[in-house]
Amino acid sequence: MTTFRLLRQTARSSRFARVSVEVTPSDTASVEVIVDVDEHHHRETELGARWALQNQPARVTVTEVFTTEIDTGTGDVHEATARAVGQALGDDRSVPYAGFSDPQMISAWLTSRIGLRLDAATEPRRSSGLAAWLLLAGDLPVGLHGRGDELRLVRDDPFPSDGLSDGVLSGFVGERLNAAAVIPAPGGEPVCAGLILRFGGDDLVIGPQGLRAGVQPALSHLEWISS
């Protein structure tokens, strides 16, 4: 039995989630959630456990999920579960946490941030897997990482020391997020392939391979999230 307690607090925002898991030997990778949680947190719990397992043959039983209405946001239960399973597997078997790419989770995160101002943003000087780093008003920093054709969101990502504050992102700082859309993976996989963030009247497209301004016609059919 292993418990991980996610607790990060700053003057801007806070995160909290506590998850307990039991990991036992098995011939296959499986996850069972035996606690009563809402649909959203149930999904985060299962996805977080499966991310940590990485198809390793083990059975994960989630025995506790504790959250708070104020401090627990999208991704907190996912990360706490992934880290709890990683601890149970041991550092030599676990995979470092790399955020979430589930379209439903990212849509929920975007929905709660419509209307916030972009206070700061950077993009990497060299290829490091980091597509962009964003800081929205009243929120923790967020890193958007490319992994192949997939874009993953990591909350509370550190400011990159080799970042650029000019370039594509410079024109969006100070503007409010008015709308957003999740770009689905082209092969139908349940992962995010990119984001479109509308600040003021301009669109920022963030994908695993980098940034660009403006939405291409092929992306105009996407479902938009707005206030």
Side-chain angles (χ1 to χ4, degrees):
M1 183 77 68
T2 302
T3 298
F4 185 87
R5 181 171 177 260
L6 175 66
L7 178 59
R8 298 175 187 170
Q9 188 169 11
T10 70
R12 301 173 60 92
S13 185
S14 59
R15 304 181 64 192
F16 175 80
R18 188 178 72 227
V19 177
S20 297
V21 301
E22 182 178 350
V23 179
T24 55
S26 175
D27 294 334
T28 59
S30 64
V31 178
E32 182 181 11
V33 183
I34 63 173
V35 291
D36 185 17
V37 292
D38 62 35
E39 181 180 356
H40 177 73
H41 287 147
H42 189 286
R43 182 178 182 82
E44 286 200 26
T45 301
E46 183 167 355
L47 289 173
R50 292 193 179 281
W51 162 254
L53 279 177
Q54 297 286 305
N55 293 319
Q56 296 181 53
R59 176 181 178 83
V60 175
T61 303
V62 181
T63 58
E64 179 196 47
V65 177
F66 186 75
T67 63
T68 68
E69 184 175 351
I70 296 175
D71 295 328
T72 304
T74 302
D76 293 346
V77 171
H78 183 276
E79 180 171 348
T81 306
R83 292 187 181 277
V85 173
Q87 286 182 172
L89 292 173
D91 292 340
D92 57 332
R93 295 185 60 196
S94 62
V95 177
Y97 183 72
F100 55 90
S101 185
D102 176 65
Q104 291 186 30
M105 288 180 60
I106 291 182
S107 292
W109 179 81
L110 289 170
T111 299
S112 65
R113 281 148 182 84
I114 297 296
L116 297 183
R117 183 184 64 252
L118 182 64
D119 282 350
T122 65
E123 51 188 292
R125 290 181 182 274
R126 55 180 179 270
S127 178
S128 60
L130 179 68
W133 179 96
L134 308 176
L135 180 61
L136 294 164
D139 199 8
L140 292 165
V142 169
L144 295 165
H145 293 261
R147 296 170 61 90
D149 294 330
E150 178 183 358
L151 191 70
R152 302 190 71 87
L153 188 151
V154 183
R155 297 187 66 202
D156 200 22
D157 216 36
F159 187 93
S161 59
D162 62 343
L164 285 170
S165 58
D166 54 3
V168 175
L169 290 173
S170 61
F172 296 91
V173 175
E175 298 290 339
R176 293 190 181 275
L177 179 63
N178 295 327
V182 177
I183 303 173
E189 294 294 322
V191 297
C192 171
L195 297 177
I196 306 175
L197 307 179
R198 180 165 293 167
F199 292 99
D202 297 321
D203 292 327
L204 172 65
V205 182
I206 306 176
Q209 309 307 319
L211 315 173
R212 67 178 185 272
V215 176
Q216 294 181 347
L219 300 177
S220 60
H221 67 284
L222 298 176
E223 182 176 347
W224 286 87
I225 302 165
S226 60
S227 56

